[in-house]
Amino acid sequence: MTFTRRTRRAMTVWAVLCAVVVVSLAVLVKLDRLDVVDSDVGVVAFDWTSAQTWLVGVLLFIDHAFGTVAMTVYTAIAAVALWTRKHRRPAYWTVGVMLAASLTTTGLKNLIDRERPVWEQPLHLLQSYSFPSGHSSGIASGAGVAIMLSLILVRRRSVQRAVVFVALTLVLVVGADRVLLGVHNLTDVVAGYAVGVFWVLAGALLYDPTPRARPVEAFASPVPTTRQVAVVLNPIKVDDVPVFKAMLERTAAELGWSRPSWYETTIEDPGRAMAEQAAIDGADLVIVCGGDGTVRTVCGELAGTGISVGVLPAGTGNLLARNLDIPLFLQAAIDVAFNGQDRAIDLVKISGDGIPEDSHFMVMAGMGFDAAIMEGASEEIKAKVGWLAYVVSGVKNLMFPPVRLEVSVDDGPWTKHRARTVVVGNVGYLTAGMPLLPDAAIDDGILDVVLLHPSRFLSWIPLALRVLSKGKRSDELVNRMTGKKVSIRARDETPRQLDGDAIGPGQEMCCEVLHGRLLVRVPR
């Protein structure tokens, strides 16, 4: 998300409206013009709550869960989490908004000095003034912060919508809690909402919380560069392409790079021709934005050219980015692409029946169960729940039948095996940090191989424990091998995958590492 001129204008209008609401209600309360309306609503709500004895405990829990102390703790946790993930601007902004809303609420309480509603048998007693509601301003500002941060830091629209739904639900629940407990008038709650929303909007206008790329001193290079940058983009992986382009172009300009040249992939070509053209056009840096398939294609085309590749992970697995510690948040990944250091990593050439010539992979290739998982994870489900789609598919394929196969390492003798899956890896970790090949390194010139053969359903439990504990023992359950070249041939046609993309069934895979063939930008 980036704040365009139109967005800032809309935010300004809504901030002014919130200020007008607060001032208007404050004046009317001071003139005692709202007492009748507040009293009528309050009596109905309080009488109903008093008759629902089970509800009082719930309302008191909500009162404590979203009080001043609790909101302060939530703010501190959020700020620390943002800070540790190097999102300094969002951290500053979060603390500033919550503090400003709290101070404004306290100041208005002392200025208006409105007494709380009085009841013969009160459900809850508070000694502070009533207008505006501190709980309401706190939850409104907190919800606004959560929504704003999700729009800035979260890529998936489904997650953004979930955050908005939960945040708005909490706002309504806490506001209703204040009226039903009889500790606030309706107008106190409305004024509190307005204070919270005002500071979310005003805070964003005064201090843009969007993370910014920080110019850093460039590494000395013996090769002159023109600082030309090209971007190969898979447009279906980005929710709002114009906004994404504006964000990247702004960052490039701030850091002294040329205006990016854009190349969009197509269904027919996932990036090969685009990467080739970017190299022909003289790009010093090619940034690829897409899923693992797009990244694999572009990297394979640029291998050996000496052109640096910046990876912006926008897929479901994003395994290359995860294993290179490239952040999954696009703005932070853009910062790494421009400011990071080049790392020479291995590429793996792969061949086999039905596999196109000059095919490569960056992360992992597999036959059997893992490829069946990739085939079973539909794009629709991945779009909704992300990498959890692989978990769903994995459960469905848990008893994928074992495969009879033979393996040859470094052109050595063929050995016979029986396994549910075999994985050849250039990196060690899967999504969610599972260390399938813990000793694998992407720049060591060595391929790591693992064959998994849980013979029964319950055998998955010790297998999982072995994998998670990074056990190095090799046996029939978990069989590990290493080499520069690995050839696999199965007795029957078996599902196969490259970097998380199913490539159709086949009987053969021959993988050979190409040491240090590609330059990728990684964090300094």
Side-chain angles (χ1 to χ4, degrees):
M1 176 181 176
T2 186
F3 295 142
T4 62
R5 184 174 301 177
R6 182 178 179 180
T7 302
R8 294 181 67 85
R9 185 161 52 241
M11 291 167 61
T12 302
V13 170
W14 282 104
V16 171
L17 287 175
C18 288
V20 170
V21 169
V22 174
V23 173
S24 300
L25 290 177
V27 171
L28 292 174
V29 166
K30 201 67 175 174
L31 296 175
D32 298 327
R33 298 295 178 85
L34 298 175
D35 290 350
V36 175
V37 174
D38 282 334
S39 178
D40 291 343
V41 174
V43 168
V44 173
F46 186 80
D47 288 346
W48 182 81
T49 305
S50 299
Q52 316 297 321
T53 55
W54 62 271
L55 183 60
V56 176
V58 176
L59 296 176
L60 290 175
F61 172 78
I62 295 172
D63 174 87
H64 293 300
F66 297 96
T68 302
V69 174
M71 293 304 295
T72 301
V73 172
Y74 303 152
T75 301
I77 292 173
V80 170
L82 291 167
W83 183 272
T84 55
R85 295 179 67 87
K86 299 183 179 181
H87 297 324
R88 305 292 171 81
R89 291 183 69 87
Y92 292 141
W93 177 79
T94 297
V95 173
V97 167
M98 298 302 292
L99 181 61
S102 179
L103 293 176
T104 301
T105 300
T106 302
L108 286 172
K109 282 180 180 289
N110 294 325
L111 178 65
I112 306 302
D113 57 31
R114 187 186 199 185
E115 298 296 334
R116 293 184 180 272
V118 179
W119 310 100
E120 290 185 8
Q121 295 181 325
L123 301 174
H124 188 44
L125 290 175
L126 294 173
Q127 301 301 320
S128 58
Y129 291 121
S130 176
F131 182 94
S133 164
H135 279 68
S136 298
S137 65
I139 192 62
S141 55
V145 166
I147 292 172
M148 188 72 75
L149 292 180
S150 72
L151 295 176
I152 293 172
L153 301 178
V154 177
R155 186 178 68 250
R156 292 190 176 279
R157 286 287 177 87
S158 58
V159 177
Q160 292 177 355
R161 287 192 290 267
V163 171
V164 171
F165 174 78
V166 172
L168 294 181
T169 299
L170 288 177
V171 168
L172 295 176
V173 167
V174 173
D177 173 84
R178 312 318 293 157
V179 177
L180 292 174
L181 268 180
V183 294
H184 278 294
N185 300 294
L186 178 62
T187 51
D188 300 336
V189 172
V190 173
Y193 286 163
V195 169
V197 175
F198 170 81
W199 277 114
V200 170
L201 298 173
L205 291 169
L206 295 172
Y207 184 80
D208 187 348
T210 305
R212 301 290 180 84
R214 294 175 289 105
V216 296
E217 183 180 353
F219 288 116
S221 171
V223 181
T225 64
T226 57
R227 297 182 73 80
Q228 292 187 50
V229 58
V231 185
V232 179
L233 169 66
N234 183 344
I236 67 172
K237 294 294 185 178
V238 177
D239 288 325
D240 195 328
V241 173
V243 170
F244 168 72
K245 288 185 175 182
M247 177 174 64
L248 195 144
E249 289 179 351
R250 181 192 66 198
T251 304
E254 290 175 352
L255 298 178
W257 286 78
S258 65
R259 183 167 183 172
S261 302
W262 293 90
Y263 306 85
E264 294 190 3
T265 65
T266 63
I267 296 177
E268 297 76 18
D269 188 342
R272 185 181 298 272
M274 298 77 186
E276 180 183 13
Q277 190 60 50
I280 292 173
D281 292 342
D284 300 301
L285 169 66
V286 174
I287 296 176
V288 53
C289 180
D292 285 328
T294 304
V295 171
R296 182 184 73 249
T297 302
V298 171
C299 289
E301 188 64 29
L302 296 176
T305 64
I307 298 174
S308 301
V309 179
V311 177
L312 306 187
T316 304
N318 302 312
L319 289 180
L320 180 64
R322 294 176 192 273
N323 280 273
L324 292 176
D325 294 324
I326 296 173
L328 301 185
F329 169 52
L330 286 181
Q331 178 63 71
I334 291 173
D335 190 14
V336 171
F338 283 114
N339 288 324
Q341 62 183 4
D342 289 334
R343 180 179 178 183
I345 67 173
D346 301 339
L347 195 71
V348 185
K349 182 179 179 181
I350 184 167
S351 60
D353 55 318
I355 299 177
E357 287 188 34
D358 297 327
S359 292
H360 302 81
F361 69 86
M362 308 292 300
V363 179
M364 295 178 182
M367 295 181 70
F369 169 67
D370 71 309
I373 292 177
M374 304 309 169
E375 287 184 349
S378 70
E379 292 297 326
E380 182 179 356
I381 297 178
K382 287 195 289 186
K384 292 181 178 179
V385 299
W387 62 267
L388 289 176
Y390 295 133
V391 177
V392 176
S393 180
V395 172
K396 292 180 180 179
N397 291 281
L398 202 56
M399 293 312 294
F400 183 87
V403 179
R404 293 185 181 277
L405 49 83
E406 294 179 306
V407 179
S408 171
V409 177
D410 292 335
D411 293 322
W414 292 89
T415 57
K416 294 184 178 181
H417 303 272
R418 184 177 171 88
R420 293 193 188 274
T421 192
V422 54
V423 176
V424 181
N426 196 28
V427 301
Y429 289 80
L430 299 177
T431 303
M434 181 175 291
L436 183 63
L437 299 163
D439 293 332
I442 201 169
D443 55 2
D444 63 355
I446 299 293
L447 295 174
D448 287 63
V449 186
V450 63
L451 292 86
L452 306 178
H453 184 214
S455 57
R456 297 182 300 274
F457 179 80
L458 293 179
S459 300
W460 283 103
I461 298 175
L463 187 150
L465 293 175
R466 288 267 298 276
V467 170
L468 293 174
S469 64
K470 301 181 182 180
K472 297 181 180 181
R473 181 164 56 93
S474 186
D475 54 25
E476 185 179 354
L477 180 63
V478 180
N479 192 353
R480 301 186 183 278
M481 309 174 187
T482 58
K484 295 182 179 181
K485 182 179 179 181
V486 179
S487 301
I488 304 167
R489 60 190 184 196
R491 188 181 69 175
D492 304 308
E493 287 204 339
T494 305
R496 298 175 298 181
Q497 61 88 10
L498 297 181
D499 288 353
D501 288 337
I503 59 171
Q507 294 179 265
E508 298 178 357
M509 282 199 322
C510 181
C511 309
E512 184 175 2
V513 68
L514 303 177
H515 184 42
R517 289 294 297 274
L518 181 70
L519 293 178
V520 175
R521 287 287 172 90
V522 298
R524 295 196 183 192

